[in-house]
Amino acid sequence: MKLNNYINGVWQEEGGADYTAVLNPANGKELAQVRLSTTEDVDQAVEAAKVAQKKWALVPAPKRADYLYAIANIMIEKKEHLSQVLTAEMGKVIEEARGEVQEGIDMAFYMAGEGRRLFGQTVPSELENKFAMSVRAPIGVVGLITPWNFPIAIATWKSFPAIVAGNTFLWKPATETPMMAYELAKIFEEVELPKGVANIVFGSGSTVGTAMIEHPDVKVISFTGSTETGRGIAELGGRHLKKISLEMGGKNAIIVMDDADVDLAVEGILWSAFGTAGQRCTACSRVIVHKSVKAELEQKLVESMKSLTIGDGADESNKIGPVINKGSLDKIESYVQIGKDEGATLLAGGSILTDGDLANGNYYAPTLFTDVKWDSRLAQEEIFGPVISLIEVESLEEAIEVNNSVEFGLSSAIFSRDVNRIFRAQRDLDTGIVYVNAGTTGAEIHLPFGGTKGTGNGHRDSGVAALDVYTEWKAIYIDYSGTLQRAQIDNN
């Protein structure tokens, strides 16, 4: 199977293009060949989107929303198929894949509802016989760059608000997970989304991504990925005065206080740290634990980790799947060695798994370090794998200080029964998302998703806040006085 670009409602022919293999990370088998596009492909897609946007913006928003309702219903029908494809190309266990597809369904219904809202404001004018209001206006052609770890959820976070707001888009999915983009494009075809509204260009970030950012007719870039890449996009996009929305890295922590339900905390830590094999921007990689419960928490974590089943995500019995590729394995292994060199104590895991069928895939053992220093590389840098660092503290104030010590600010959590501590923590934790008595993962689509500091640049995916990325505010003044009225002058 060869995956080619979807431009102006047409699947492009091969035309001598280069391709690269898409591999199943669970077993190394080839799933497809995906096109490595050129800047000319980007130009073609942008032109199609630009032409289509003029007509699309004139379609009433409730009518644009009807397409999203139709997309949602087809995704429901195809949920199991989409989930199986997702697991095959990305590796996450099938239970999680179903949850991710459901997130896309939820987003379709939610953003479709915005088609009958897209609220602006009406406000009183300071002058007589004058009306004042603000409305949301579409921006034009937007560029979407999505990662491999949530290949359909994040794509829907970005594309569905763009659609309902009256924009058209060019989407570059991750080269590791292009099959979900293909599946979503087929659904766009099935609902007869007007040609040119959705355009997919496969390929590398260095070629396709850069061309999107530099193209004068792409007005917005929405990116999810590494902080390093995001900084480069912000710099390049800034030269072209583009609106740039960045959702980047995390070094998320769970705080376990001395009055916490330790058993519940263990469940939250395991799910947050090892779900998606730790390959989530919201994954828990630090556990900040009060010294009075540290020993108990360590013992229960080590014991519970023994029951985690690891293997091909298509097997319903497995709880942890592979990491995405060999490069990720090597990165995780290098950080485990860094942890050892820094003097942290390894309690569990710490190795690449090669027994039996695992030898054919990219598997890393769930790993637990303790006695980790808060300012060590292990505790400060994003690993993006199944590795937990336990850091001991003596108070809530110290726990909050340690949580806020990293360059990222996406998600944090606290386990405590003390309502006063909880309210102080939710106020003082410097992250875009805060959980209480739950792990660091599990965001819902009707609230804004994003973070502070090195995690983002102030924009948000999901929720009503996502519309701010894909719309411009337009202020409208209607003077029906029949005379020239000068604000700030004639009202005094």
Side-chain angles (χ1 to χ4, degrees):
M1 178 182 184
K2 284 195 172 181
L3 302 178
N4 285 296
N5 297 333
Y6 181 71
I7 298 175
N8 203 29
V10 177
W11 293 99
Q12 304 298 291
E13 297 179 358
E14 292 183 25
D18 292 330
Y19 292 81
T20 189
V22 181
L23 303 179
N24 185 330
N27 53 35
K29 293 180 179 179
E30 183 175 309
L31 299 170
Q33 291 274 323
V34 63
R35 185 186 186 108
L36 296 175
S37 299
T38 65
T39 56
E40 289 76 16
D41 294 315
V42 173
D43 291 342
Q44 183 182 357
V46 173
E47 182 59 27
K50 183 180 178 181
V51 171
Q53 198 273 330
K54 294 177 181 179
K55 293 182 179 179
W56 184 239
L58 298 178
V59 175
K63 298 298 183 183
R64 298 195 295 257
D66 285 343
Y67 288 98
L68 294 183
Y69 284 122
I71 288 167
N73 287 321
I74 293 175
M75 289 180 71
I76 291 171
E77 295 171 7
K78 295 185 174 182
K79 181 176 179 179
E80 187 59 25
H81 169 70
L82 294 171
S83 302
Q84 294 289 342
V85 173
L86 199 164
T87 290
E89 71 169 351
M90 187 272 150
K92 65 179 59 178
V93 297
I94 189 64
E95 179 183 41
E96 292 183 43
R98 292 177 184 131
E100 181 178 343
V101 175
Q102 185 61 49
E103 193 164 357
I105 294 167
D106 294 343
M107 182 58 76
F109 280 123
Y110 180 82
M111 281 300 163
E114 289 303 308
R116 290 189 178 272
R117 290 187 288 265
L118 287 177
F119 294 137
Q121 293 178 313
T122 58
V123 297
S125 172
E126 65 188 42
L127 296 167
E128 294 181 359
N129 299 316
K130 185 178 179 181
F131 182 80
M133 66 179 176
S134 65
V135 297
R136 290 186 184 272
I139 296 178
V141 178
V142 302
L144 314 178
I145 303 175
T146 58
W148 47 261
N149 60 334
F150 282 84
I152 196 166
I154 294 177
T156 63
W157 290 1
K158 298 179 186 297
S159 63
F160 292 172
I163 286 172
V164 81
N167 303 286
T168 56
F169 65 87
L170 170 64
W171 170 23
K172 191 205 87 65
T175 304
E176 294 89 348
T177 53
M179 295 173 68
M180 293 311 299
Y182 170 81
E183 294 289 344
L184 194 54
K186 297 296 286 185
I187 294 174
F188 293 156
E189 278 191 307
E190 191 169 346
V191 302
E192 297 182 347
L193 188 68
K195 294 180 178 181
V197 172
N199 303 276
I200 299 173
V201 179
F202 297 112
S204 69
S206 59
T207 299
V208 175
T210 300
M212 289 168 60
I213 299 163
E214 293 184 331
H215 200 292
D217 290 325
V218 177
K219 303 302 183 183
V220 176
I221 295 291
S222 180
F223 166 81
T224 297
S226 73
T227 299
E228 180 182 4
T229 301
R231 284 194 178 112
I233 289 172
E235 181 180 355
L236 182 58
R239 296 179 204 160
H240 298 275
L241 297 179
K242 293 186 188 293
K243 181 188 285 189
I244 304 291
S245 173
L246 304 174
E247 200 287 296
M248 303 179 289
K251 191 66 178 176
N252 313 293
I254 291 176
I255 297 171
V256 182
M257 294 306 300
D258 52 341
D259 64 335
D261 180 335
V262 175
D263 290 329
L264 179 61
V266 168
E267 288 186 52
I269 292 165
L270 293 182
W271 169 239
S272 298
F274 302 135
T276 322
Q279 301 170 116
R280 292 172 171 164
C281 52
T282 57
C284 168
S285 61
R286 297 180 297 156
V287 174
I288 303 169
V289 57
H290 194 281
K291 66 177 183 179
S292 66
V293 293
K294 177 174 178 281
E296 179 186 2
L297 183 69
E298 285 177 353
Q299 184 269 323
K300 289 185 174 181
L301 279 173
V302 170
E303 193 61 32
S304 296
M305 287 170 65
K306 294 177 182 177
S307 65
L308 296 174
T309 50
I310 304 166
D312 191 331
D315 184 337
E316 300 269 3
S317 67
N318 288 325
K319 298 301 180 184
I320 301 177
V323 298
I324 191 66
N325 53 35
K326 180 67 163 54
S328 291
L329 273 184
D330 293 341
K331 180 182 178 182
I332 297 165
E333 180 75 353
S334 71
Y335 271 100
V336 168
Q337 187 57 52
I338 287 169
K340 293 176 181 178
D341 293 342
E342 290 177 330
T345 303
L346 182 64
L347 294 181
S351 62
I352 296 173
L353 300 177
T354 58
D355 291 342
D357 292 339
L358 300 183
N360 297 318
N362 309 312
Y363 297 94
Y364 204 90
T367 299
L368 175 64
F369 279 100
T370 191
D371 303 323
V372 177
K373 297 178 180 179
W374 69 270
D375 58 351
S376 65
R377 290 186 64 190
L378 193 65
Q380 292 285 316
E381 298 176 11
E382 187 176 39
I383 300 171
F384 224 62
V387 180
I388 308 174
S389 299
L390 263 63
I391 304 167
E392 180 182 312
V393 295
E394 297 185 2
S395 66
L396 174 65
E397 291 72 23
E398 184 183 2
I400 291 171
E401 185 176 354
V402 170
N403 179 89
N404 295 347
S405 69
V406 297
E407 69 167 305
F408 307 103
L410 181 53
S411 183
S412 58
I414 181 169
F415 283 83
S416 173
R417 295 184 174 96
D418 187 325
V419 67
N420 295 323
R421 281 176 167 175
I422 288 168
F423 270 84
R424 286 199 296 272
Q426 61 84 21
R427 178 194 66 193
D428 296 338
L429 290 168
D430 187 9
T431 54
I433 305 168
V434 176
Y435 292 90
V436 176
N437 293 323
T440 54
T441 64
E444 300 180 34
I445 57 92
H446 44 288
L447 285 177
F449 183 94
T452 62
K453 300 184 289 188
T455 290
N457 63 340
H459 295 289
R460 293 292 186 267
D461 285 326
S462 202
V464 175
L467 293 170
D468 290 335
V469 177
Y470 305 104
T471 55
E472 295 282 12
W473 283 108
K474 181 183 291 187
I476 301 171
Y477 301 96
I478 303 173
D479 192 317
Y480 52 96
S481 67
T483 62
L484 177 64
Q485 300 189 90
R486 299 171 298 171
Q488 295 91 43
I489 298 177
D490 292 338
N491 63 328
N492 291 315

